[in-house]
Amino acid sequence: MSRPPTILCIDDDVLLLALRKALLESSDFKVFTANSGPAGLEIANREPIEVVILDYHMPGMDGGTVAKELRRIRPDLAILLSSGLHEIPESLLAMVDGVVPKGSSSVALKKAIARVRVTRTRPFEQIPQKDKETTKHIEHPRGFARSKQSPPYRRKRAR
């Protein structure tokens, strides 16, 4: 049986970081936490991290910028994006190995970690598109989201 990977969690929500760290450490993972992008990059430079769980919306340096920098300095890292967004930019999806919605169960999180760890150990192989946990929605101007597969939104014009 292989040993659990060393994980770095980067999120500006300190409570979420503490909960995620406790959850993962109870499953024998070694966990580092950072509450900002620059702090996470510093840890990734000095520690033997294998998997990064990265928040998208953070002040200062957002998850997209952090993912790009992580790919530059440590292309071997498996990166999981943890986000509550309905719409994730395609450019960011291309830089990460998987997406885990915020608030996912511990079982879903552990499965995602195992999956991205396996795919990163096989070079030049990507997770098939159907296996990525992505949700693509179009944001309605009034805050409602609708699926791209749903019929086009039409407003009745006042005459």
Side-chain angles (χ1 to χ4, degrees):
M1 188 159 153
S2 66
R3 65 175 177 74
T6 302
I7 298 174
L8 169 60
C9 298
I10 306 173
D11 199 314
D12 61 322
D13 185 339
V14 181
L15 180 59
L16 182 75
L17 277 178
L19 286 169
R20 190 168 281 155
K21 180 176 173 117
L23 168 87
L24 294 171
E25 285 181 340
S26 71
S27 297
D28 295 327
F29 291 100
K30 182 175 182 180
V31 181
F32 292 92
T33 60
N35 63 358
S36 70
L41 292 171
E42 182 183 317
I43 293 169
N45 270 322
R46 72 171 194 265
E47 298 295 338
I49 304 297
E50 296 172 65
V51 178
V52 174
I53 302 173
L54 176 64
D55 182 27
Y56 179 63
H57 276 296
M58 293 186 290
M61 184 181 248
D62 71 8
T65 307
V66 175
K68 186 176 182 179
E69 187 63 16
L70 284 169
R71 283 285 177 241
R72 189 185 69 74
I73 63 173
R74 296 277 310 273
D76 60 312
L77 283 176
I79 302 174
L80 270 174
L81 181 67
S82 174
S83 181
L85 290 178
H86 291 288
E87 185 176 314
I88 299 168
E90 289 291 329
S91 59
L92 180 56
L93 288 175
M95 284 188 275
V96 299
D97 299 297
V99 178
V100 176
K102 277 198 173 180
S104 293
S105 70
S106 62
V107 173
L109 182 61
K110 290 176 202 173
K111 282 182 180 180
I113 290 168
R115 187 179 63 244
V116 297
R117 187 175 182 213
V118 167
T119 59
R120 269 289 151 190
T121 59
R122 292 179 286 178
F124 310 111
E125 199 168 312
Q126 296 293 323
I127 299 173
Q129 189 65 31
K130 66 181 179 182
D131 289 348
K132 285 190 178 180
E133 296 175 20
T134 59
T135 355
K136 296 179 185 174
H137 283 76
I138 299 170
E139 291 298 318
H140 184 277
R142 293 188 184 142
F144 301 104
R146 67 176 174 84
S147 169
K148 283 187 177 179
Q149 286 76 30
S150 64
Y153 176 79
R154 293 193 181 134
R155 284 169 105 171
K156 291 186 179 180
R157 292 185 183 178
R159 293 186 182 203

